[in-house]
Amino acid sequence: MSRWVKRLGIGLGVVVVLLVGLRIVIAIRDQTDPVDPDAIAEDFDDSGATTDGVPALDTGVWAYDASGEEYIDVLGGPLHEFPEEVAQTVSDTMCGQAIDLRLFEQRYDILDLCRDDEGRLLLDTIVTHHEFVGIVDETVTDGCDPLAVWWPGMEDDVDDGPTSASCTATSTVSGEVGTVLTHEILGVEQIVIAGEEHRAVRIRLTSELGTPRAPTQGTYVNEFWFGLDDPTILRRSLDAEASAESPFGSLGYEEQFDLWVQSIEPLPG
């Protein structure tokens, strides 16, 4: 065997060892700790604010049946499968209301909504939190033009068409990028929860990050099914795909989930 063939074999062996070592490090550092909806309900405190009789979403903690996964392209992974049960809270705030979704301890979304003079809940801030291999990526979307997300009687406005707002998304990993949010009322549907049918208005909230040639770009399509007889989030889904330049190189990200509330009633505290 020639000397250069031996050197090539040794070099390839070193590369393989390094790759295996990196995958082991990724596996050790990567965490997906499930949440406990009952524990979240026990700690839930919504006494700091009140709606004073203004129409609003019901407050409390709900458990959801969940399916879905998230994936980031770092050496072929990791892939996170979401637990079969997750938690979501709706709380009153001094500004309006907040929707806090906990998929696991390292992955959550928070929508802060402020109420206007007409009782509509307008988007103030979206916090999207991910953790992969010990690296935290938290994106805050704010500075938006007024955009209503929920309001009483919104099912009557199906024919009004979509509305959009310009915002800024700031990521701890990839920096700042312009974002356009679009809200659309898709219609009224029947949702079966625990064997009973419930009417819901279905809305789509789409985030378009960057532009096709920008270093950071992507699309997040959130859908919510708001109960009409009980103002509760009966179902929620996400379909997302993004890419970004970061200190770690070019990263690709995909995520999808589908959540169904287990009961109309919130969990006891």
mmCIF file of all heavy atoms in Angstrom, residues 13-44:
data_model
loop_
_atom_site.group_PDB
_atom_site.id
_atom_site.type_symbol
_atom_site.label_atom_id
_atom_site.label_comp_id
_atom_site.label_asym_id
_atom_site.label_seq_id
_atom_site.Cartn_x
_atom_site.Cartn_y
_atom_site.Cartn_z
ATOM 1 N N GLY A 13 -10.019 8.452 8.894
ATOM 2 C CA GLY A 13 -10.318 7.917 10.218
ATOM 3 C C GLY A 13 -10.429 9.010 11.263
ATOM 4 O O GLY A 13 -11.313 8.970 12.122
ATOM 5 N N VAL A 14 -9.555 10.012 11.199
ATOM 6 C CA VAL A 14 -9.604 11.129 12.137
ATOM 7 C C VAL A 14 -10.903 11.913 11.966
ATOM 8 O O VAL A 14 -11.556 12.292 12.946
ATOM 9 C CB VAL A 14 -8.388 12.052 11.930
ATOM 10 C CG1 VAL A 14 -8.563 13.344 12.743
ATOM 11 C CG2 VAL A 14 -7.109 11.344 12.334
ATOM 12 N N VAL A 15 -11.291 12.134 10.693
ATOM 13 C CA VAL A 15 -12.542 12.861 10.434
ATOM 14 C C VAL A 15 -13.731 12.120 11.010
ATOM 15 O O VAL A 15 -14.609 12.706 11.651
ATOM 16 C CB VAL A 15 -12.723 13.085 8.915
ATOM 17 C CG1 VAL A 15 -14.122 13.623 8.629
ATOM 18 C CG2 VAL A 15 -11.672 14.046 8.384
ATOM 19 N N VAL A 16 -13.763 10.801 10.805
ATOM 20 C CA VAL A 16 -14.860 9.995 11.332
ATOM 21 C C VAL A 16 -14.913 10.077 12.848
ATOM 22 O O VAL A 16 -15.977 10.251 13.453
ATOM 23 C CB VAL A 16 -14.725 8.524 10.877
ATOM 24 C CG1 VAL A 16 -15.727 7.648 11.621
ATOM 25 C CG2 VAL A 16 -14.937 8.408 9.375
ATOM 26 N N VAL A 17 -13.763 9.979 13.491
ATOM 27 C CA VAL A 17 -13.709 10.064 14.958
ATOM 28 C C VAL A 17 -14.213 11.428 15.428
ATOM 29 O O VAL A 17 -14.972 11.524 16.402
ATOM 30 C CB VAL A 17 -12.273 9.803 15.462
ATOM 31 C CG1 VAL A 17 -12.171 10.149 16.950
ATOM 32 C CG2 VAL A 17 -11.889 8.361 15.223
ATOM 33 N N LEU A 18 -13.801 12.509 14.745
ATOM 34 C CA LEU A 18 -14.244 13.841 15.130
ATOM 35 C C LEU A 18 -15.748 13.996 14.968
ATOM 36 O O LEU A 18 -16.425 14.559 15.842
ATOM 37 C CB LEU A 18 -13.519 14.899 14.286
ATOM 38 C CG LEU A 18 -12.039 15.120 14.608
ATOM 39 C CD1 LEU A 18 -11.432 16.086 13.609
ATOM 40 C CD2 LEU A 18 -11.862 15.646 16.026
ATOM 41 N N LEU A 19 -16.288 13.483 13.860
ATOM 42 C CA LEU A 19 -17.734 13.576 13.628
ATOM 43 C C LEU A 19 -18.509 12.794 14.672
ATOM 44 O O LEU A 19 -19.524 13.262 15.196
ATOM 45 C CB LEU A 19 -18.078 13.088 12.218
ATOM 46 C CG LEU A 19 -17.641 13.989 11.066
ATOM 47 C CD1 LEU A 19 -17.951 13.329 9.732
ATOM 48 C CD2 LEU A 19 -18.317 15.346 11.146
ATOM 49 N N VAL A 20 -18.022 11.596 14.982
ATOM 50 C CA VAL A 20 -18.684 10.786 16.012
ATOM 51 C C VAL A 20 -18.615 11.508 17.350
ATOM 52 O O VAL A 20 -19.598 11.564 18.105
ATOM 53 C CB VAL A 20 -18.030 9.398 16.109
ATOM 54 C CG1 VAL A 20 -18.557 8.650 17.338
ATOM 55 C CG2 VAL A 20 -18.312 8.589 14.853
ATOM 56 N N GLY A 21 -17.461 12.108 17.651
ATOM 57 C CA GLY A 21 -17.326 12.858 18.893
ATOM 58 C C GLY A 21 -18.276 14.029 18.968
ATOM 59 O O GLY A 21 -18.897 14.284 20.010
ATOM 60 N N LEU A 22 -18.421 14.748 17.853
ATOM 61 C CA LEU A 22 -19.337 15.880 17.826
ATOM 62 C C LEU A 22 -20.780 15.428 18.020
ATOM 63 O O LEU A 22 -21.551 16.076 18.734
ATOM 64 C CB LEU A 22 -19.198 16.641 16.504
ATOM 65 C CG LEU A 22 -17.958 17.512 16.357
ATOM 66 C CD1 LEU A 22 -17.856 18.061 14.944
ATOM 67 C CD2 LEU A 22 -17.983 18.659 17.362
ATOM 68 N N ARG A 23 -21.161 14.323 17.406
ATOM 69 C CA ARG A 23 -22.521 13.812 17.577
ATOM 70 C C ARG A 23 -22.767 13.406 19.021
ATOM 71 O O ARG A 23 -23.867 13.605 19.556
ATOM 72 C CB ARG A 23 -22.776 12.629 16.639
ATOM 73 C CG ARG A 23 -22.809 12.977 15.161
ATOM 74 C CD ARG A 23 -23.860 14.055 14.900
ATOM 75 N NE ARG A 23 -25.188 13.619 15.256
ATOM 76 C CZ ARG A 23 -26.047 13.036 14.409
ATOM 77 N NH1 ARG A 23 -25.677 12.834 13.159
ATOM 78 N NH2 ARG A 23 -27.249 12.673 14.807
ATOM 79 N N ILE A 24 -21.763 12.862 19.676
ATOM 80 C CA ILE A 24 -21.905 12.498 21.089
ATOM 81 C C ILE A 24 -22.090 13.746 21.939
ATOM 82 O O ILE A 24 -22.952 13.797 22.832
ATOM 83 C CB ILE A 24 -20.691 11.676 21.569
ATOM 84 C CG1 ILE A 24 -20.682 10.304 20.883
ATOM 85 C CG2 ILE A 24 -20.710 11.514 23.089
ATOM 86 C CD1 ILE A 24 -19.436 9.488 21.167
ATOM 87 N N VAL A 25 -21.289 14.788 21.657
ATOM 88 C CA VAL A 25 -21.413 16.047 22.394
ATOM 89 C C VAL A 25 -22.805 16.635 22.189
ATOM 90 O O VAL A 25 -23.444 17.113 23.140
ATOM 91 C CB VAL A 25 -20.332 17.043 21.947
ATOM 92 C CG1 VAL A 25 -20.615 18.433 22.516
ATOM 93 C CG2 VAL A 25 -18.962 16.568 22.382
ATOM 94 N N ILE A 26 -23.299 16.601 20.939
ATOM 95 C CA ILE A 26 -24.635 17.118 20.649
ATOM 96 C C ILE A 26 -25.682 16.354 21.446
ATOM 97 O O ILE A 26 -26.587 16.940 22.058
ATOM 98 C CB ILE A 26 -24.932 17.021 19.134
ATOM 99 C CG1 ILE A 26 -24.131 18.094 18.383
ATOM 100 C CG2 ILE A 26 -26.420 17.195 18.862
ATOM 101 C CD1 ILE A 26 -24.225 17.983 16.885
ATOM 102 N N ALA A 27 -25.563 15.026 21.472
ATOM 103 C CA ALA A 27 -26.536 14.208 22.198
ATOM 104 C C ALA A 27 -26.518 14.511 23.687
ATOM 105 O O ALA A 27 -27.566 14.533 24.342
ATOM 106 C CB ALA A 27 -26.253 12.724 21.949
ATOM 107 N N ILE A 28 -25.328 14.760 24.249
ATOM 108 C CA ILE A 28 -25.212 15.040 25.681
ATOM 109 C C ILE A 28 -25.783 16.416 26.020
ATOM 110 O O ILE A 28 -26.496 16.583 27.013
ATOM 111 C CB ILE A 28 -23.740 14.937 26.128
ATOM 112 C CG1 ILE A 28 -23.265 13.476 26.032
ATOM 113 C CG2 ILE A 28 -23.570 15.466 27.553
ATOM 114 C CD1 ILE A 28 -21.783 13.308 26.309
ATOM 115 N N ARG A 29 -25.469 17.417 25.188
ATOM 116 C CA ARG A 29 -25.875 18.795 25.485
ATOM 117 C C ARG A 29 -27.333 19.061 25.147
ATOM 118 O O ARG A 29 -27.926 20.005 25.666
ATOM 119 C CB ARG A 29 -24.991 19.786 24.719
ATOM 120 C CG ARG A 29 -23.561 19.847 25.226
ATOM 121 C CD ARG A 29 -22.738 20.804 24.362
ATOM 122 N NE ARG A 29 -23.311 22.140 24.330
ATOM 123 C CZ ARG A 29 -23.078 23.083 25.233
ATOM 124 N NH1 ARG A 29 -22.302 22.831 26.264
ATOM 125 N NH2 ARG A 29 -23.619 24.286 25.113
ATOM 126 N N ASP A 30 -27.935 18.258 24.279
ATOM 127 C CA ASP A 30 -29.298 18.511 23.834
ATOM 128 C C ASP A 30 -30.292 18.009 24.877
ATOM 129 O O ASP A 30 -30.196 16.876 25.338
ATOM 130 C CB ASP A 30 -29.535 17.820 22.486
ATOM 131 C CG ASP A 30 -30.694 18.425 21.740
ATOM 132 O OD1 ASP A 30 -30.778 19.663 21.676
ATOM 133 O OD2 ASP A 30 -31.525 17.661 21.209
ATOM 134 N N GLN A 31 -31.250 18.860 25.248
ATOM 135 C CA GLN A 31 -32.240 18.489 26.249
ATOM 136 C C GLN A 31 -33.638 18.845 25.779
ATOM 137 O O GLN A 31 -33.855 19.882 25.151
ATOM 138 C CB GLN A 31 -31.961 19.194 27.581
ATOM 139 C CG GLN A 31 -30.700 18.737 28.288
ATOM 140 C CD GLN A 31 -30.520 19.454 29.608
ATOM 141 O OE1 GLN A 31 -30.228 20.642 29.659
ATOM 142 N NE2 GLN A 31 -30.712 18.718 30.694
ATOM 143 N N THR A 32 -34.609 17.980 26.105
ATOM 144 C CA THR A 32 -36.020 18.230 25.836
ATOM 145 C C THR A 32 -36.805 17.754 27.048
ATOM 146 O O THR A 32 -37.325 16.644 27.065
ATOM 147 C CB THR A 32 -36.491 17.504 24.559
ATOM 148 O OG1 THR A 32 -36.167 16.110 24.673
ATOM 149 C CG2 THR A 32 -35.821 18.071 23.326
ATOM 150 N N ASP A 33 -36.876 18.592 28.067
ATOM 151 C CA ASP A 33 -37.550 18.225 29.310
ATOM 152 C C ASP A 33 -39.042 18.514 29.195
ATOM 153 O O ASP A 33 -39.448 19.663 28.953
ATOM 154 C CB ASP A 33 -36.963 19.016 30.480
ATOM 155 C CG ASP A 33 -35.470 18.750 30.647
ATOM 156 O OD1 ASP A 33 -35.082 17.581 30.558
ATOM 157 O OD2 ASP A 33 -34.708 19.717 30.844
ATOM 158 N N PRO A 34 -39.904 17.503 29.367
ATOM 159 C CA PRO A 34 -41.351 17.730 29.247
ATOM 160 C C PRO A 34 -41.874 18.631 30.354
ATOM 161 O O PRO A 34 -41.286 18.725 31.437
ATOM 162 C CB PRO A 34 -41.937 16.317 29.356
ATOM 163 C CG PRO A 34 -40.906 15.524 30.091
ATOM 164 C CD PRO A 34 -39.583 16.100 29.693
ATOM 165 N N VAL A 35 -42.982 19.303 30.078
ATOM 166 C CA VAL A 35 -43.629 20.145 31.082
ATOM 167 C C VAL A 35 -44.709 19.332 31.800
ATOM 168 O O VAL A 35 -45.173 18.306 31.292
ATOM 169 C CB VAL A 35 -44.261 21.398 30.447
ATOM 170 C CG1 VAL A 35 -43.193 22.250 29.784
ATOM 171 C CG2 VAL A 35 -45.342 21.018 29.445
ATOM 172 N N ASP A 36 -45.085 19.792 32.978
ATOM 173 C CA ASP A 36 -46.139 19.165 33.774
ATOM 174 C C ASP A 36 -47.319 20.129 33.832
ATOM 175 O O ASP A 36 -47.284 21.108 34.597
ATOM 176 C CB ASP A 36 -45.622 18.860 35.179
ATOM 177 C CG ASP A 36 -46.648 18.133 36.039
ATOM 178 O OD1 ASP A 36 -47.826 18.089 35.653
ATOM 179 O OD2 ASP A 36 -46.257 17.622 37.116
ATOM 180 N N PRO A 37 -48.378 19.913 33.031
ATOM 181 C CA PRO A 37 -49.511 20.851 33.035
ATOM 182 C C PRO A 37 -50.130 21.043 34.408
ATOM 183 O O PRO A 37 -50.520 22.163 34.765
ATOM 184 C CB PRO A 37 -50.502 20.201 32.056
ATOM 185 C CG PRO A 37 -49.643 19.390 31.135
ATOM 186 C CD PRO A 37 -48.558 18.862 32.004
ATOM 187 N N ASP A 38 -50.209 19.967 35.221
ATOM 188 C CA ASP A 38 -50.801 20.101 36.548
ATOM 189 C C ASP A 38 -49.957 21.006 37.439
ATOM 190 O O ASP A 38 -50.497 21.818 38.208
ATOM 191 C CB ASP A 38 -50.962 18.720 37.193
ATOM 192 C CG ASP A 38 -52.011 17.863 36.486
ATOM 193 O OD1 ASP A 38 -53.035 18.433 36.053
ATOM 194 O OD2 ASP A 38 -51.811 16.650 36.340
ATOM 195 N N ALA A 39 -48.637 20.879 37.349
ATOM 196 C CA ALA A 39 -47.754 21.733 38.148
ATOM 197 C C ALA A 39 -47.865 23.189 37.703
ATOM 198 O O ALA A 39 -47.848 24.112 38.538
ATOM 199 C CB ALA A 39 -46.312 21.252 38.031
ATOM 200 N N ILE A 40 -47.979 23.416 36.395
ATOM 201 C CA ILE A 40 -48.147 24.780 35.891
ATOM 202 C C ILE A 40 -49.456 25.369 36.401
ATOM 203 O O ILE A 40 -49.526 26.545 36.785
ATOM 204 C CB ILE A 40 -48.086 24.792 34.350
ATOM 205 C CG1 ILE A 40 -46.676 24.412 33.874
ATOM 206 C CG2 ILE A 40 -48.479 26.162 33.800
ATOM 207 C CD1 ILE A 40 -46.551 24.277 32.379
ATOM 208 N N ALA A 41 -50.517 24.543 36.432
ATOM 209 C CA ALA A 41 -51.812 25.011 36.930
ATOM 210 C C ALA A 41 -51.741 25.362 38.415
ATOM 211 O O ALA A 41 -52.356 26.344 38.863
ATOM 212 C CB ALA A 41 -52.878 23.943 36.689
ATOM 213 N N GLU A 42 -50.999 24.585 39.184
ATOM 214 C CA GLU A 42 -50.861 24.865 40.613
ATOM 215 C C GLU A 42 -50.159 26.199 40.858
ATOM 216 O O GLU A 42 -50.467 26.915 41.817
ATOM 217 C CB GLU A 42 -50.086 23.742 41.299
ATOM 218 C CG GLU A 42 -50.861 22.429 41.404
ATOM 219 C CD GLU A 42 -50.051 21.339 42.077
ATOM 220 O OE1 GLU A 42 -48.915 21.635 42.526
ATOM 221 O OE2 GLU A 42 -50.544 20.196 42.157
ATOM 222 N N ASP A 43 -49.211 26.548 39.979
ATOM 223 C CA ASP A 43 -48.451 27.791 40.142
ATOM 224 C C ASP A 43 -49.110 28.983 39.460
ATOM 225 O O ASP A 43 -48.640 30.120 39.609
ATOM 226 C CB ASP A 43 -47.032 27.617 39.585
ATOM 227 C CG ASP A 43 -46.215 26.615 40.380
ATOM 228 O OD1 ASP A 43 -46.530 26.397 41.563
ATOM 229 O OD2 ASP A 43 -45.262 26.038 39.806
ATOM 230 N N PHE A 44 -50.180 28.738 38.712
ATOM 231 C CA PHE A 44 -50.793 29.802 37.919
ATOM 232 C C PHE A 44 -51.451 30.836 38.834
ATOM 233 O O PHE A 44 -52.233 30.507 39.717
ATOM 234 C CB PHE A 44 -51.831 29.213 36.969
ATOM 235 C CG PHE A 44 -52.505 30.228 36.074
ATOM 236 C CD1 PHE A 44 -51.830 30.789 35.014
ATOM 237 C CD2 PHE A 44 -53.825 30.605 36.306
ATOM 238 C CE1 PHE A 44 -52.448 31.711 34.183
ATOM 239 C CE2 PHE A 44 -54.449 31.524 35.486
ATOM 240 C CZ PHE A 44 -53.757 32.074 34.419
#
